[in-house]
């Protein structure tokens, strides 16, 4: 993940717009994180279609494996997205202007890693660790940076 983010940061030809205020940074983050919901919405659609096409006689009975995979993926993705969104919002307030390019890159990494997790989870439960680690480890890094920013860099502005 760090190598992938570093390569994208260096070689992709875009820069974040100038965002001097905290509210502008939060709006930018909100707009970027809207794209991270794409894998979740796609999972909901596929989950609904697989449930409709399921051969179960009881609609509220025991789920088949193919239906259970999509339902589990959606619920885990929603939980991780909530953690991702709040960490991203806090991260946007602590990043310097030249590092704001990381916000869309982290959003793309989240979306791609959730799709990789979904495919690997459908292949077999033992293969899902790669996709989950691509989602969870950047989330953990964001959390650690946010705690560092709150308690070490600016402890006097912790609640302001």
């Amino acid at each position: 993940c760090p190598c992938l983010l570093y390569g994208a940061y260096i070689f992709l030809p875009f820069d974040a717009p100038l965002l001097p205020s905290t509210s502008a940074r939060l709006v930018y983050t909100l707009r970027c994180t809207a794209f991270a919901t794409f894998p979740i919405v796609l999972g909901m659609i596929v989950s609904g279609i697989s449930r409709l096409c399921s051969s179960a006689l009881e609609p509220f009975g025991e789920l088949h494996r193919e239906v259970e995979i999509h339902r589990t993926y959606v619920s885990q993705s929603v939980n991780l997205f909530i953690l991702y969104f709040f960490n991203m919002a806090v991260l946007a307030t602590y990043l310097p202007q030249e590092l704001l390019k990381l916000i869309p890159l982290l959003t793309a990494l989240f979306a791609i890693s959730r799709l990789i997790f979904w495919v690997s989870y459908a292949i077999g439960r033992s293969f899902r660790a790669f996709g989950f680690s691509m989602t969870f480890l950047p989330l953990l890094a964001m959390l650690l940076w946010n705690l560092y920013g709150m308690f070490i860099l600016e402890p006097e502005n912790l609640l302001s």
Side-chain angles (χ1 to χ4, degrees):
C1 287
C3 294
L4 184 67
L5 281 175
Y6 180 74
Y9 183 82
I10 296 297
F11 295 114
L12 287 178
F14 75 94
D15 286 323
L18 184 61
L19 303 168
S21 68
T22 303
S23 60
R25 288 171 178 239
L26 289 176
V27 168
Y28 179 69
T29 303
L30 184 65
R31 289 177 180 168
C32 286
T33 55
F35 291 104
T37 61
F38 172 74
I40 299 170
V41 172
L42 186 64
M44 288 177 177
I45 292 169
V46 171
S47 177
I49 291 172
S50 68
R51 192 162 189 126
L52 284 173
C53 296
S54 165
S55 61
L57 297 175
E58 289 288 324
F60 297 108
E62 188 175 323
L63 297 176
H64 292 277
R65 182 182 182 277
E66 59 271 2
V67 177
E68 185 66 31
I69 286 172
H70 304 306
R71 188 188 66 78
T72 304
Y73 163 75
V74 169
S75 67
Q76 288 178 358
S77 294
V78 167
N79 294 337
L80 284 171
F81 177 77
I82 291 169
L83 292 172
Y84 162 79
F85 176 74
F86 284 117
N87 275 294
M88 188 64 79
V90 174
L91 181 69
T93 62
Y94 286 110
L95 282 179
Q97 174 64 40
E98 60 272 3
L99 293 178
L100 284 178
K101 185 178 178 179
L102 285 175
I103 292 175
L105 294 177
L106 286 169
T107 301
L109 180 66
F110 179 83
I112 291 168
S113 62
R114 290 315 298 162
L115 291 173
I116 290 172
F117 172 78
W118 192 14
V119 169
S120 62
Y121 189 58
I123 291 171
R125 293 183 182 216
S126 60
F127 296 108
R128 63 185 176 178
F130 177 70
F132 181 78
S133 64
M134 280 185 65
T135 305
F136 185 71
L137 294 177
L139 181 66
L140 185 63
M142 283 191 292
L143 176 66
L144 292 175
W145 176 259
N146 290 338
L147 291 174
Y148 174 76
M150 285 190 284
F151 293 113
I152 304 298
L153 294 180
E154 298 179 15
E156 67 278 354
N157 296 332
L158 182 62
L159 299 175
S160 63

